[in-house]
Amino acid sequence: MINKEKIAIFGAGGFGREVYHLLADYIDGVLYDCVGFIDCEDKAGLPVAFIGHESNMDQLLEDYQFSNCVLALGDVHKREEVFRKLVKYSLRFPKFIGSSVKCYSKDIAEGVIIYPATVIMNDCKIGRFTLLNSGVTLGHDVVIGDFCNINPGVNLAGRVTVGDSTFIGIGASVKDNVTIGKNVIIGAGSVVLNNVLDNTTVYGIPAKAALK
């Protein structure tokens, strides 16, 4: 018998709508029934109802009786901010791994979302509420922190480390044994050959720091 649990999607933009379709998969022995979308403003054209605003969580929990939530917010800092507000509600934040993902690592934290066609090799660690978008490849022993966005087509070679709240743009590549700091932005298509310090934006081939 399939265990079906109620879940709400926090974030009613394009990311939230994409995540809604991932819920069709049977994940970790659970099939999720989405009660609706929560956001800071009303949204139209959603596949299920917009049920309310983020400022009204107490009432939403009472009305819809859900205990699971997925944070589908594209801004890494907004995602962390909302999580901090939701901690007091003792919600569960399941990890969502697309059915076509090839994953050879078990150390994947709560709230992680992994899109289809991604490959994760052995002994990787993925931190809380990180997004791995479609077509990402992670070599062995990659470590990614919390609240990161790894966008479509990104390639991280073996033993790469990525700090918290880092954004890696579409199609970027990082060579093996490179350490990327916290709160870093790596531009789309960049090739990162050297370590990147915290709070830095880099882009290009090879990637270099943006001029201030």
Side-chain angles (χ1 to χ4, degrees):
M1 181 177 179
I2 294 177
N3 181 20
K4 201 167 187 179
E5 295 188 13
K6 292 182 179 180
I7 193 167
I9 298 176
F10 212 112
F15 183 15
R17 296 194 301 274
E18 289 176 345
V19 167
Y20 172 78
H21 294 291
L22 289 180
L23 298 180
D25 283 344
Y26 185 57
I27 301 165
D28 283 346
V30 178
L31 187 63
Y32 289 96
D33 177 23
C34 183
V35 299
F37 289 85
I38 302 167
D39 210 317
C40 58
E41 59 183 28
D42 293 336
K43 298 288 177 69
L46 298 172
V48 292
F50 178 87
I51 61 173
H53 300 84
E54 60 181 63
S55 60
N56 197 27
M57 280 299 296
D58 293 285
Q59 190 63 51
L60 292 174
L61 287 165
E62 182 177 338
D63 290 346
Y64 293 94
Q65 299 292 306
F66 60 92
S67 57
N68 300 282
C69 190
V70 55
L71 300 187
L73 299 159
D75 185 304
V76 296
H77 300 293
K78 177 66 173 177
R79 198 182 308 155
E80 182 173 7
E81 176 188 332
V82 169
F83 168 69
R84 303 299 176 199
K85 291 178 181 178
L86 295 179
V87 166
K88 65 180 180 179
Y89 296 108
S90 300
L91 290 163
R92 292 191 296 270
F93 298 93
K95 54 192 173 188
F96 291 94
I97 302 175
S99 58
S100 66
V101 170
K102 299 295 184 183
C103 183
Y104 304 100
S105 296
K106 296 181 179 180
D107 199 346
I108 298 174
E110 68 172 345
V112 168
I113 299 171
I114 305 177
Y115 276 41
T118 287
V119 177
I120 302 169
M121 295 310 296
N122 51 289
D123 302 311
C124 294
K125 297 181 180 180
I126 314 299
R128 298 181 305 160
F129 301 99
T130 279
L131 165 67
L132 301 182
N133 216 306
S134 55
V136 169
T137 60
L138 305 184
H140 63 87
D141 299 288
V142 168
V143 178
I144 300 177
D146 301 337
F147 301 101
C148 293
N149 278 5
I150 314 298
N151 283 286
V154 167
N155 297 297
L156 304 183
R159 296 183 296 276
V160 167
T161 298
V162 179
D164 298 342
S165 304
T166 282
F167 178 99
I168 302 183
I170 294 171
S173 297
V174 182
K175 74 175 287 290
D176 60 300
N177 297 301
V178 164
T179 296
I180 296 168
K182 298 178 180 179
N183 197 35
V184 167
I185 297 174
I186 296 175
S190 296
V191 176
V192 182
L193 304 178
N194 300 297
N195 295 345
V196 180
L197 298 176
D198 294 351
N199 307 307
T200 304
T201 296
V202 300
Y203 63 93
I205 304 174
K208 296 182 179 180
L211 296 176
K212 296 183 179 180

